[in-house]
């Protein structure tokens, strides 16, 4: 699998953070965005499986 660009993760964070406040799932989106933001911030320290899982989570949440 080709390397995942950290920009993909950050784009997902932005989309998750921009969700409507009246969405009942907003707490879940905020928590997921926080996790993805942490992973993106420590991208160089993450192993490939963690990066791939973060990318899969990001893609699943912003579809």
């Amino acid at each position: 699998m080709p390397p995942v660009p950290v920009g993909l993760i950050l784009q997902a964070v932005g989309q998750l953070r921009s969700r409507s406040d009246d969405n009942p799932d907003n707490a879940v989106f905020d928590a997921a965005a926080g996790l993805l933001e942490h992973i993106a911030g420590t991208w160089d320290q993450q192993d490939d499986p963690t990066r791939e899982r973060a990318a899969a989570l990001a893609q699943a949440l912003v579809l």
Side-chain angles (χ1 to χ4, degrees):
M1 176 176 245
V4 176
V6 71
L8 173 77
I9 306 301
L10 293 173
Q11 181 180 18
V13 168
Q15 289 178 0
L16 290 169
R17 296 256 192 240
S18 70
R19 301 244 177 174
S20 171
D21 285 340
D22 60 350
N23 187 331
D25 295 326
N26 201 37
V28 174
F29 294 140
D30 281 344
L35 173 63
L36 291 172
E37 196 168 43
H38 171 75
I39 292 171
T42 57
W43 197 249
D44 292 339
Q45 301 166 5
Q46 302 300 331
D47 59 12
D48 287 340
T50 301
R51 291 175 185 168
E52 291 170 8
R53 288 182 185 107
L57 176 63
Q59 289 174 337
L61 290 173
V62 296
L63 288 178

